[in-house]
Amino acid sequence: MQTLTRRVYLLLVILLFFTIPVSANAPTSTVDIAAQSLINRHATPLPNEWAWQSVIQSPHYQLDRDVGAASIGVGFLAGYDVTLDAKLKVKYLNAAEYVANFIVEAQTPANSGRWPDYYDPAPVGPASYGYTSLDDGAAGISDFLWLLYERDNYSTYKDVALTGINWLVSLAQAPLGANCPKQQCYWRWRDPYNNSTPIYTGIGSGMAGIVYTLDKFAERTGNPSYQKYALAGAAYLEAQIDVDGSVSEKVGGRAEFDTGLYAGAAGDAFVFYSLYLHTHDDRWLNDANKIMAWVRLQGVAQTSGTAWPISVGAGNIGNRTLSTEVAEGAAGIGWAELQAYKVTHDAKNDLATAQEAGDWLLSIAVNENNGYTWPAYAGQTDYYTALDLGVGGISVFLHDLSIATGNAKYEQAAQKAQIWLSSVQFQDSQDSLGAYWYQDRNNGTWTNPKEPSWDWGLAGILGSAASLNGWTIDMPRDVPGF
């Protein structure tokens, strides 16, 4: 069992601070409202450890960056970074540390670097399986611990983050006829795996996210081994690029080519741009430009702006639904193009495409409660609140687009999105628990209340508000912008 041994006197102060009723410490912004609600709703598996039961993956205490503890920890870091209130700053940092303590304890076996998918109290206990990826597993969890270490300089979090990265390296495999890490490496999504366990390519659950994370840890630590594995993974991902620039969502699967940020080509291109920024090797820039050119070709012109199908493929393969959101739609593709523009300075292609995405979003915005909302999918009536499929993520993209273009209409829309989010905030019948949001409203019915996570719930709504209040980490989903 690992616990904090430093700043004991501060822990006592914070424990007393957390017992103050919400009405006596009323938050004044969406950041503080959401953060206080998360604090109020935590469970305490062991002293100085905080966890939350997932709503959308009920009844488990998840660990990951999608719906789990690490995702909520990122939310507290966003609150810590943007608040100017010294007491709240201490409060949010300590909340993130309590989350990290739970994550440290949950490595199974202890100190192995391997995290189970969930870590439930007895008699259920930990899951028998875990994941490698940025979205679901060790890559993303390790990244959260490192982000926390950068803020509090507590070496345990750094050390445990590195055990996660070392475990990830240990699972690298060589494709037939190649040497890993001299030539190519790949990772399967799940541990333990069998031949049916997929090798995904994307940034969320696949190879691109692992390459990105290993490259970032190489940059952070100067460890040449991490860089070798990152480059070998990039070489394997590069081998999956078709001649036209498309990348199949799953290695060896059917020929379905996603366009978006989470599982598709826009996310793959982002990772190659990131790799180029670190290595200055034109090889990765050329890969990124080739993939992003394919993404642009999949755009479907609208009355105003451009929209994208979720995926394309021959015959009946592919999902031609036009999506608005960050994970698999126009907001995420537009955001990726903004990152590309920072690298290429190509206003004709990259910046113009981001504007096309923004113009389409503005053209289909739904006026409600003096604010703006968007259906996750064009022509449907499913309105999500948080980052992944929802209004929170769209607001971050539009805010970024306003900064890049200097056009105030995008910022006005981003602010109106935040107005809508405030208007659909609910108050728990138990006043001491504070405000909450539902995950989505489908055909007029709200579903999945009080989801705590970054991609789907309160932490992500907190993050979107932080982004519009000067958060220097531009992160509408799992990765920060350049």
Side-chain angles (χ1 to χ4, degrees):
M1 168 63 187
Q2 299 190 42
T3 60
L4 287 175
T5 57
R6 63 192 182 87
R7 296 191 296 173
V8 174
Y9 70 96
L10 267 181
L11 292 180
L12 294 174
V13 172
I14 296 303
L15 288 172
L16 289 172
F17 190 67
F18 285 167
T19 64
I20 299 172
V22 174
S23 58
N25 183 36
T28 57
S29 71
T30 299
V31 170
D32 297 326
I33 289 169
Q36 185 62 55
S37 182
L38 286 166
I39 289 168
N40 294 341
R41 297 172 193 280
H42 77 268
T44 309
L46 288 170
N48 298 326
E49 293 183 9
W50 285 7
W52 288 258
Q53 198 169 31
S54 176
V55 172
I56 62 173
Q57 293 189 11
S58 178
H60 299 302
Y61 292 86
Q62 303 289 141
L63 292 161
D64 56 61
R65 284 284 286 274
D66 182 16
V67 299
S71 80
I72 298 165
V74 171
F76 286 128
L77 294 183
Y80 169 81
D81 285 351
V82 300
T83 185
L84 300 178
D85 185 306
K87 288 183 178 179
L88 290 179
K89 210 167 188 67
V90 173
K91 188 176 188 177
Y92 297 156
L93 184 62
N94 276 266
E97 289 174 337
Y98 294 151
V99 175
N101 295 341
F102 172 66
I103 290 170
V104 169
E105 176 67 18
Q107 280 197 336
T108 306
N111 305 313
S112 65
R114 177 191 184 276
W115 281 283
D117 184 38
Y118 55 81
Y119 194 76
D120 289 353
V124 177
S128 61
Y129 58 92
Y131 294 96
T132 57
S133 64
L134 180 61
D135 191 62
D136 310 295
I141 296 170
S142 296
D143 184 65
F144 159 64
L145 291 173
W146 189 275
L147 292 174
L148 176 56
Y149 161 70
E150 289 180 337
R151 286 155 178 77
D152 71 0
N153 203 35
Y154 187 46
S155 61
T156 290
Y157 302 140
K158 176 189 73 171
D159 294 342
V160 176
L162 294 179
T163 67
I165 297 301
N166 292 337
W167 176 81
L168 196 61
V169 165
S170 76
L171 291 188
Q173 298 182 66
L176 188 64
N179 178 280
C180 169
K182 290 183 178 179
Q183 295 169 309
Q184 293 184 9
C185 298
Y186 70 86
W187 284 261
R188 294 189 182 273
W189 180 45
R190 176 170 158 160
D191 169 69
Y193 60 84
N194 55 38
N195 289 336
S196 65
T197 303
I199 307 167
Y200 290 115
T201 56
I203 200 170
S205 294
M207 286 289 305
I210 292 171
V211 168
Y212 173 84
T213 305
L214 288 173
D215 182 58
K216 281 298 168 189
F217 271 86
E219 191 172 10
R220 290 162 172 168
T221 65
N223 186 326
S225 178
Y226 296 159
Q227 193 66 68
K228 287 179 183 177
Y229 280 91
L231 295 176
Y236 181 84
L237 186 61
E238 179 184 59
Q240 312 310 312
I241 306 172
D242 279 0
V243 291
D244 64 354
S246 61
V247 183
S248 180
E249 177 191 1
K250 187 190 302 183
V251 176
R254 66 179 190 170
E256 183 171 5
F257 305 96
D258 285 29
T259 59
L261 180 66
Y262 163 70
D268 298 334
F270 169 88
V271 169
F272 282 119
Y273 283 124
S274 180
L275 198 59
Y276 167 73
L277 286 175
H278 182 202
T279 65
H280 308 293
D281 187 338
D282 286 343
R283 172 185 180 179
W284 311 123
L285 178 62
N286 293 336
D287 288 337
N289 286 335
K290 182 177 182 179
I291 296 170
M292 198 62 92
W294 178 85
V295 173
R296 286 193 290 271
L297 284 174
Q298 310 317 306
V300 180
Q302 304 295 296
T303 303
S304 178
T306 299
W308 281 263
I310 294 171
S311 62
V312 299
N316 294 324
I317 296 176
N319 184 346
R320 300 285 176 170
T321 304
L322 302 179
S323 171
T324 62
E325 26 87 10
V326 164
E328 55 189 9
I333 291 169
W335 182 85
E337 278 282 34
L338 285 179
Q339 310 318 308
Y341 174 62
K342 295 173 188 178
V343 179
T344 66
H345 309 293
D346 185 346
K348 181 179 178 182
N349 288 305
D350 294 319
L351 184 60
T353 302
Q355 288 181 274
E356 288 286 306
D359 290 344
W360 179 62
L361 289 169
L362 263 57
S363 74
I364 65 166
V366 176
N367 284 278
E368 186 177 291
N369 303 337
N370 297 315
Y372 281 170
T373 185
W374 288 266
Y377 309 107
Q380 299 183 21
T381 56
D382 202 356
Y383 300 89
Y384 286 80
T385 53
L387 290 176
D388 189 90
L389 298 179
V391 172
I394 292 172
S395 75
V396 175
F397 162 59
L398 292 173
H399 170 71
D400 290 352
L401 185 59
S402 176
I403 293 171
T405 63
N407 194 324
K409 69 179 181 180
Y410 301 123
E411 181 63 23
Q412 291 166 0
Q415 295 293 340
K416 293 195 78 170
Q418 290 292 314
I419 290 171
W420 182 82
L421 281 171
S422 293
S423 78
V424 297
Q425 173 192 133
F426 291 79
Q427 189 72 24
D428 205 293
S429 58
Q430 296 175 275
D431 287 341
S432 63
L433 294 179
Y436 67 91
W437 283 261
Y438 285 84
Q439 178 189 327
D440 70 314
R441 187 184 68 206
N442 192 353
N443 292 322
T445 301
W446 287 105
T447 62
N448 292 332
K450 308 172 190 178
E451 165 62 31
S453 66
W454 180 258
D455 282 343
W456 300 93
L458 273 75
I461 291 170
L462 185 168
S464 73
S467 292
L468 270 66
N469 281 278
W471 194 28
T472 56
I473 297 181
D474 171 26
M475 190 158 58
R477 204 176 187 281
D478 302 314
V479 290
F482 303 143

